[in-house]
Amino acid sequence: MKIFKKKKVELKENIIPKIKTKYKIGLALSGGGARGFAHIGAIKAFEEKGLTFDYVVGTSAGSFVGAAYAAGYSADEMIDFSHTFADSDIKNQNFLFVSTPASNIERVADRLLLGVTFDRLKIPFRAVSVDLITGEEYVFNKGSVAKAVSASCAVPLVFKPVSHEDKLLVDGGLLNTIPADVARHMGADFVISVDINSTRGMGIGEQKTKFLNIATATWRIVMKSTAYKGEMNSDIIIKPDLTKFSSTQSLGRSDMVDIGYKATMEAMDEIFVSLGIK
């Protein structure tokens, strides 16, 4: 595992003036596994256009990128960090039916976040998870951000649930894969969502009865059903086409960043018009 060193860079606001609007703007970053690298590209586009956010919410992979953004990391710094870890640092590659400890995710996240807690973030942030005991959505708003990210990313059967207080927490995508409503509850007047798994409705059908085939089809169905709430609560949804990329392997991470960037840039005219920005 390579060492990540945060670079001293000129602040973006010294180069590109921040856009001011009459709206409180929320950013909702969806789940989508390894496709989450596209979220970094979206943030890079927002930075270049000077568009900032009052609230950030993430589910699963979106919670990892959202946490980094809320902590003050630039897109370029996130890209640099992405080259310091491999899939094997996060998930067991060779053990079928053996769940990986979610502490792997927490460990990688904390190498970037350096023990930051919610109250020390530069932008108000929430991470969405689900409690297996109650079957209800649980939104982190305090404590360790790295632990919140690990819970939000803990895909059932792939990762072990995260114990937190009296809860057993897993991936928030089970109930809320595009957490736009959480941004609304935080106070956002206008919500921009980035959906990195917009093809979740494709290829749902499955005729094979092997364990992995059934598990994969089941997860696709769950993800499709939990996307509706996010779509209803979003003013604009950016949907990078990541069809050719796996949600379980990070091959092509640089290409995913580029696709997220381009899709977001293509949406900028619509965003600016909707916000009344000239």
Side-chain angles (χ1 to χ4, degrees):
M1 185 182 290
K2 297 178 182 178
I3 301 298
F4 173 73
K5 294 183 179 180
K6 185 170 172 49
K7 298 177 180 178
K8 291 184 178 180
V9 295
E10 289 294 325
L11 294 177
K12 294 276 182 188
E13 52 263 38
N14 292 336
I15 304 171
I16 301 172
K18 291 181 180 179
I19 292 173
K20 295 182 179 180
T21 75
K22 61 181 179 181
Y23 300 102
K24 293 289 187 180
I25 308 175
L27 174 65
L29 302 178
S30 82
R35 292 172 175 171
F37 292 102
H39 283 317
I40 302 176
I43 288 173
K44 186 174 180 65
F46 293 134
E47 287 177 338
E48 290 188 7
K49 289 295 186 177
L51 187 62
T52 58
F53 295 89
D54 299 283
Y55 311 101
V56 180
V57 186
T59 292
S60 198
S63 74
F64 200 128
V65 176
Y69 180 57
Y73 284 93
S74 69
D76 286 341
E77 288 172 330
M78 292 184 224
I79 292 169
D80 288 344
F81 179 75
S82 75
H83 296 301
T84 69
F85 65 90
D87 293 347
S88 57
D89 294 322
I90 295 177
K91 181 169 66 72
N92 293 337
Q93 302 294 305
N94 302 315
F95 298 96
L96 193 60
F97 309 131
V98 178
S99 298
T100 300
S103 57
N104 286 11
I105 304 171
E106 182 176 357
R107 188 178 303 113
V108 172
D110 208 39
R111 288 181 49 239
L112 179 67
L113 299 171
L114 304 175
V116 72
T117 51
F118 278 82
D119 59 316
R120 292 168 51 206
L121 293 171
K122 296 184 178 181
I123 304 173
F125 169 71
R126 301 289 184 266
V128 179
S129 62
V130 173
D131 182 10
L132 285 180
I133 297 174
T134 64
E136 296 178 348
E137 183 175 320
Y138 179 77
V139 179
F140 276 91
N141 63 3
K142 61 182 178 180
S144 165
V145 179
K147 179 173 281 295
V149 167
S150 71
S152 186
C153 292
V155 178
L157 301 181
V158 178
F159 295 98
K160 294 179 180 178
V162 173
S163 295
H164 175 68
E165 297 176 347
D166 57 348
K167 302 171 180 63
L168 281 178
L169 301 172
V170 294
D171 194 306
L174 280 173
L175 290 177
N176 198 352
T177 192
I178 307 173
D181 65 309
V182 179
R184 295 276 185 205
H185 293 155
M186 293 175 73
D189 306 309
F190 190 93
V191 179
I192 299 171
S193 295
V194 183
D195 183 8
I196 57 170
N197 197 19
S198 61
T199 58
R200 63 178 61 82
M202 297 174 60
I204 278 181
E206 183 58 70
Q207 296 182 5
K208 297 179 181 179
T209 57
K210 292 183 179 180
F211 177 86
L212 286 179
N213 297 98
I214 294 173
T216 300
T218 300
W219 189 249
R220 287 174 183 158
I221 293 168
V222 170
M223 292 299 96
K224 182 179 180 181
S225 66
T226 69
Y228 296 128
K229 181 166 61 173
E231 292 169 353
M232 291 175 61
N233 284 280
S234 301
D235 292 288
I236 289 178
I237 305 180
I238 299 166
K239 298 182 177 182
D241 184 359
L242 301 165
T243 310
K244 67 179 181 179
F245 299 98
S246 169
S247 63
T248 59
Q249 295 181 330
S250 62
L251 294 174
R253 60 185 71 184
S254 295
D255 291 334
M256 286 187 269
V257 171
D258 289 342
I259 291 171
Y261 172 83
K262 291 176 182 176
T264 304
M265 279 299 193
E266 289 172 359
M268 282 298 179
D269 285 345
E270 181 184 1
I271 291 171
F272 278 31
V273 169
S274 298
L275 289 173
I277 300 170
K278 297 181 179 180

